[in-house]
C-alpha cells in the first residue's frame, strides 16, 4: 500500500499474458519474454505472480507464437520447398545433409571456398522463399536467429521426432540465417584475398 502496488489478480494476469504475446512477436527467446513481463509488472506496480505461473505463461506464449508461424508456413509452403526442407534430414553416404551444411569454412583456401559456394547454391531457393515468407509473417530477426540456433542445438534425431511443421520452420530459419552467413564469409574471403 505504501508504494501503491497491487496484487496480481485474474485481470492483471490476463493483461500480462496479452502483453507477453505481443512481446513474443518481437522475440521468442524465453528469457527476453520473462524480463519484459517483469518490467511490465514493475512499471504497472503489480506484485509479480508465482514463478510457476510465469514459467507456464512464457511456455504458452512461445508455443502459441510458434503455432501461429507454423500454420502460416503450412499454407505458404510449396511442394518443392517442402521436399528440400525434408531432404535436409536425410542421410547421404552415412552423413546427414544438414550436418554437412552446418560446417563453416576453416580458412580462405580454394577448397573451403568452393564448398561454401556449394552450400550457398543449395540454400539459395530456400532463402528466396524464406525472404518473402518471413516478411509476410512479421517474424523478427531475433526470432529467426533463435529458431535457426535450435537447429544447431538439437540433434538430427530430435529434429526428426518433432512435429513436421515445427521442424520445417526451424530448418527454414536456419537456411535463411545460414545463407546470410555464407554471403558474409564469401565477402570476407574476397576482401582478404584482394588485400
Amino acid at each position: 500500500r505504501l508504494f501503491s502496488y497491487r496484487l496480481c489478480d485474474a485481470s492483471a494476469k490476463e493483461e500480462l499474458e496479452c502483453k507477453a504475446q505481443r512481446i513474443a512477436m518481437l522475440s521468442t527467446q524465453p528469457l527476453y519474454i520473462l524480463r519484459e513481463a517483469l518490467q511490465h509488472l514493475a512499471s504497472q506496480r503489480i506484485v509479480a505472480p508465482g514463478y510457476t505461473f510465469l514459467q507456464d505463461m512464457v511456455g504458452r506464449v512461445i508455443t502459441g507464437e510458434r503455432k501461429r508461424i507454423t500454420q502460416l508456413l503450412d499454407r505458404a509452403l510449396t511442394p518443392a520447398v517442402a521436399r528440400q526442407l525434408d531432404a535436409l534430414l536425410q542421410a547421404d553416404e552415412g552423413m546427414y545433409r544438414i550436418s554437412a551444411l552446418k560446417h563453416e569454412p576453416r580458412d580462405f583456401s580454394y577448397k573451403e571456398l568452393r564448398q561454401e559456394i556449394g552450400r550457398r547454391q543449395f540454400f539459395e531457393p530456400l532463402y528466396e522463399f524464406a525472404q518473402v515468407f518471413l516478411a509476410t509473417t512479421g517474424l523478427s530477426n531475433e526470432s529467426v536467429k533463435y529458431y535457426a540456433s535450435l537447429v544447431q542445438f538439437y540433434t538430427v534425431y530430435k529434429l526428426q521426432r518433432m512435429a513436421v511443421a515445427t521442424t520445417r520452420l526451424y530448418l527454414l530459419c536456419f537456411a535463411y540465417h545460414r545463407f546470410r552467413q555464407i554471403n558474409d564469409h564469401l565477402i570476407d574471403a574476397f576482401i582478404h584475398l584482394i588485400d
Side-chain angles (χ1 to χ4, degrees):
R1 281 198 300 272
L2 181 63
F3 290 100
S4 304
Y5 270 77
R6 58 191 170 96
L7 292 175
C8 191
D9 58 6
S11 66
K13 285 179 180 177
E14 190 177 319
E15 180 188 335
L16 180 64
E17 191 149 346
C18 288
K19 174 81 173 168
Q21 287 169 347
R22 288 192 303 276
I23 293 166
M25 293 180 86
L26 299 174
S27 176
T28 48
Q29 290 188 359
L31 190 58
Y32 176 76
I33 295 169
L34 177 65
R35 284 183 181 153
E36 289 295 315
L38 290 173
Q39 179 64 35
H40 170 74
L41 290 170
S43 69
Q44 297 296 312
R45 295 188 176 270
I46 300 172
V47 177
Y51 178 76
T52 52
F53 171 80
L54 290 172
Q55 190 176 28
D56 292 344
M57 181 198 68
V58 168
R60 279 192 307 273
V61 165
I62 290 171
T63 302
E65 179 63 9
R66 187 176 58 231
K67 194 178 208 179
R68 180 184 77 84
I69 299 297
T70 54
Q71 287 172 348
L72 291 171
L73 181 60
D74 279 343
R75 287 195 291 272
L77 208 58
T78 64
V81 172
R83 275 193 304 276
Q84 194 171 2
L85 288 172
D86 294 341
L88 288 171
L89 298 179
Q90 294 170 357
D92 267 347
E93 301 165 12
M95 186 173 190
Y96 290 104
R97 288 183 188 160
I98 191 69
S99 300
L101 294 168
K102 284 180 186 179
H103 290 293
E104 299 206 11
R106 290 187 293 266
D107 52 30
F108 295 134
S109 67
Y110 179 75
K111 181 183 173 193
E112 291 290 326
L113 292 177
R114 292 292 301 167
Q115 288 175 345
E116 197 73 343
I117 290 168
R119 288 190 274 274
R120 185 187 186 283
Q121 289 169 340
F122 179 86
F123 281 131
E124 191 166 9
L126 290 174
Y127 175 79
E128 288 172 1
F129 173 80
Q131 198 172 19
V132 173
F133 171 73
L134 295 173
T136 59
T137 60
L139 197 62
S140 69
N141 285 337
E142 281 300 311
S143 293
V144 171
K145 283 181 192 173
Y146 176 67
Y147 288 144
S149 72
L150 294 176
V151 172
Q152 296 277 18
F153 177 75
Y154 290 120
T155 63
V156 174
Y157 176 75
K158 285 195 176 182
L159 288 170
Q160 290 171 330
R161 307 230 353 137
M162 288 180 187
V164 175
T166 302
T167 304
R168 285 178 177 168
L169 173 63
Y170 294 170
L171 290 171
L172 185 68
C173 289
F174 175 77
Y176 177 82
H177 186 65
R178 187 75 177 92
F179 184 86
R180 295 177 78 163
Q181 281 182 324
I182 289 168
N183 284 343
D184 290 346
H185 292 158
L186 293 174
I187 291 167
D188 288 343
F190 180 76
I191 291 168
H192 173 76
L193 294 171
I194 293 300
D195 259 357

